[in-house]
């Protein structure tokens, strides 16, 4: 046991780490709230409310090749991903979720004495991965509208900065990164990684305009638009030299065959899945209008499949209170304890047929908290 005289000597920076704050599995949430899992509105992890497509489920169910290892070079998979992303296969590497590619990229690029820049509030994985690897992270706070402060980011980039990582659209705010900002960042000489986990909902990708830039990296995932979060299926687009290094340093069988089969089937079913993403975008618009009409909850503009919403005139712990009140009703949204987000909750877009139920719960929770 830790602390006993002959216990393993864990690296000191790791013993103090709080660990990544994950979402709780839905059955545990339902049990806690005393509601049936089927009645839960799980809107806390930006998953696809429609689930995986039937075509993908069929492809995985019908596949029979589980007894052999996957292709470590991912040749067929990378070709399919490259076709989808509109790039050449030598620039693509697949991973167990985009999280794995982010970690591999940090491992490949950031050496001793080097640093990473990111812009909070943002996806917690960047801090988590840097903390685990004992890499100094320079955090440049986003502005009041959650856009990045380009001048401040440029000022934070030093010769030791090996990587700048920015989510676009950003999580949890939904804010996209503009082309001008990206041009300025690329002009700085730094390597810029754009995390496009929600790209299919934004309808744009940095790859469209800057895909050939040698210092641009894009991370993509099938977790959101393709409804495959549980399979861990993501990829990245890199300069071919970096991709070649990543292919050599990754675990050889990092993408399991179920994830590979599912990714390829999802690409084949992309028209259906992208049409579904468009329905989520419509729902985002409808939800933003109805939430704003409540009068006490204000959504920030979002290009993703979720809305960050601020409780108006609420106390400093208003986000936590709304989060708890909704959870009691079987509605699970995300709350972040970070100072700038204490009056906020992040709500993933539900299916359109769940919209009215969500609004009813929001009205009741708001009334119960004296907000309405
Ligand atoms: C910005 C961002 N990047 C990456 C991820 C993780 O994606 P994956 O499931 O592919 O690891 C998430 C998940 O919430 C995210 O919000």
């Amino acid at each position: 046991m830790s602390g006993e005289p002959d216990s393993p000597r864990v690296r000191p920076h790791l013993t103090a780490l709080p660990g990544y704050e994950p979402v709780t599995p839905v059955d545990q949430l339902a049990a806690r709230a005393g509601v049936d899992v089927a009645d839960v509105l799980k809107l806390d992890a930006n998953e696809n409310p429609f689930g995986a497509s039937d075509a993908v489920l069929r492809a995985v169910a019908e596949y029979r090749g589980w007894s052999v290892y996957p292709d470590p070079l991912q040749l067929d998979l990378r070709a399919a991903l490259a076709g989808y992303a509109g790039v050449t296969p030598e620039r693509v590497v697949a991973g167990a979720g985009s999280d794995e590619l982010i970690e591999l990229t940090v491992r490949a690029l950031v050496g001793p004495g080097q640093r990473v820049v990111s812009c909070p509030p943002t996806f917690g994985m960047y801090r988590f991965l840097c903390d685990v690897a004992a890499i100094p992270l320079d955090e440049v706070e986003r502005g009041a509208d959650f856009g990045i402060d380009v001048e401040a980011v440029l000022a934070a980039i030093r010769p030791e900065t090996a990587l700048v990582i920015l989510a676009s659209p950003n999580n949890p705010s939904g804010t996209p990164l503009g082309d001008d900002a990206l041009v300025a960042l690329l002009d700085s000489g730094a390597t810029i990684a754009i995390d496009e986990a929600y790209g299919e909902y934004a309808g744009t990708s940095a790859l469209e305009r800057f895909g050939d830039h040698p210092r641009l990296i894009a991370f993509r995932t099938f977790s959101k638009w393709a409804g495959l979060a549980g399979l861990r299926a993501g990829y990245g687009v890199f300069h071919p030299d970096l991709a070649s290094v990543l292919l050599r340093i990754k675990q050889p069988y990092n993408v399991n065959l179920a994830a590979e089969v599912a990714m390829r089937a999802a690409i084949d079913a992309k028209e259906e899945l992208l049409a579904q993403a468009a329905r989520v975008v419509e729902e985002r618009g409808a939800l933003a209008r109805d939430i704003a009409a409540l009068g006490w909850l204000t959504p920030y503009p979002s290009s993703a499949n979720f809305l960050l919403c601020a409780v108006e005139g609420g106390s400093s712990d208003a986000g936590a209170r709304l989060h708890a009140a909704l959870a009691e009703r079987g509605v699970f949204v995300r709350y972040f304890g970070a100072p700038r987000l204490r009056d906020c909750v992040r709500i993933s877009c539900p299916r359109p047929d769940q919209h009215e139920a969500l609004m009813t719960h929001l009205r009741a929770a708001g009334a119960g908290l004296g907000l309405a």
Side-chain angles (χ1 to χ4, degrees):
M1 289 242 317
S2 169
E4 287 173 9
D6 59 352
S7 62
R9 291 202 199 120
V10 175
R11 296 167 66 194
H13 80 278
L14 293 179
T15 54
L17 275 191
Y20 186 72
E21 205 178 306
V23 289
T24 309
V26 67
D27 49 341
Q28 293 173 28
L29 290 172
R32 248 183 246 167
V35 296
D36 201 283
V37 177
D39 297 330
V40 157
L41 278 178
K42 185 181 186 310
L43 306 173
D44 59 353
N46 306 334
E47 291 140 341
N48 186 330
F50 293 96
S53 86
D54 286 344
V56 172
L57 295 177
R58 257 194 319 273
V60 174
E62 286 168 8
Y63 189 74
R64 290 289 173 268
W66 305 130
S67 60
V68 298
Y69 287 99
D71 172 12
L73 290 178
Q74 311 171 336
L75 289 180
D76 293 342
L77 177 58
R78 287 166 58 219
L81 292 167
Y84 175 67
V87 298
T88 52
E90 78 266 18
R91 302 186 53 206
V92 175
V93 182
S98 52
D99 286 348
E100 187 190 19
L101 274 318
I102 302 170
E103 178 162 38
L104 281 169
T105 303
V106 167
R107 201 179 301 160
L109 294 183
V110 191
Q114 294 189 303
R115 319 173 66 85
V116 172
V117 169
S118 82
C119 293
T122 192
F123 185 38
M125 190 59 62
Y126 314 144
R127 168 149 283 293
F128 168 74
L129 292 175
C130 287
D131 284 351
V132 169
I135 291 168
L137 177 66
D138 298 312
E139 296 189 313
V140 182
E141 277 289 321
R142 287 170 178 263
D145 60 355
F146 294 108
I148 69 157
D149 178 342
V150 179
E151 291 310 316
V153 177
L154 291 173
I157 295 173
R158 333 178 194 177
E160 313 87 87
T161 302
L163 180 66
V164 177
I165 180 160
L166 299 166
S168 178
N170 184 45
N171 175 9
S173 56
T175 328
L177 181 74
D179 281 354
D180 291 350
L182 183 52
V183 169
L185 295 175
L186 287 168
D187 284 351
S188 73
T191 297
I192 312 293
I194 306 299
D195 180 346
E196 297 189 333
Y198 304 97
E200 278 78 3
Y201 300 104
T204 57
S205 165
L207 293 173
E208 281 156 20
R209 290 203 46 202
F210 308 99
D212 292 335
H213 197 290
R215 278 181 287 96
L216 178 75
I217 294 169
F219 298 119
R220 299 277 197 86
T221 181
F222 284 68
S223 293
K224 316 294 178 179
W225 70 285
L228 298 180
L231 273 183
R232 314 304 301 127
Y235 64 104
V237 178
F238 310 87
H239 184 278
D241 293 348
L242 175 55
S244 147
V245 169
L246 297 176
L247 282 167
R248 278 176 276 139
I249 68 170
K250 72 177 181 61
Q251 290 278 333
Y253 310 118
N254 63 327
V255 178
N256 70 72
L257 270 173
E260 167 164 356
V261 169
M263 279 193 262
R264 290 169 62 179
I267 290 171
D268 288 344
K270 72 175 179 189
E271 275 170 29
E272 174 205 330
L273 284 165
L274 292 175
Q276 192 184 70
R279 287 171 68 198
V280 172
V281 168
E282 266 176 45
E283 168 59 22
R284 180 182 77 206
L287 194 60
R289 275 192 301 278
D290 285 356
I291 286 178
L294 290 172
W296 52 269
L297 193 60
T298 304
Y300 284 92
S302 170
S303 302
N305 63 340
F306 53 81
L307 292 169
L308 183 70
C309 303
V311 181
E312 294 304 321
S315 55
S316 60
D317 64 347
R321 294 174 67 222
L322 178 58
H323 172 262
L326 288 170
E328 275 175 26
R329 309 181 63 85
V331 179
F332 300 101
V333 300
R334 192 85 200 253
Y335 170 69
F336 305 89
R340 275 187 67 189
L341 300 175
R342 284 207 181 116
D343 60 347
C344 294
V345 293
R346 189 196 67 195
I347 307 176
S348 306
C349 293
R351 292 191 311 268
D353 64 284
Q354 298 169 317
H355 178 109
E356 275 317 316
L358 171 60
M359 291 310 305
T360 302
H361 285 300
L362 278 170
R363 280 186 207 102
L369 295 172
L371 295 164

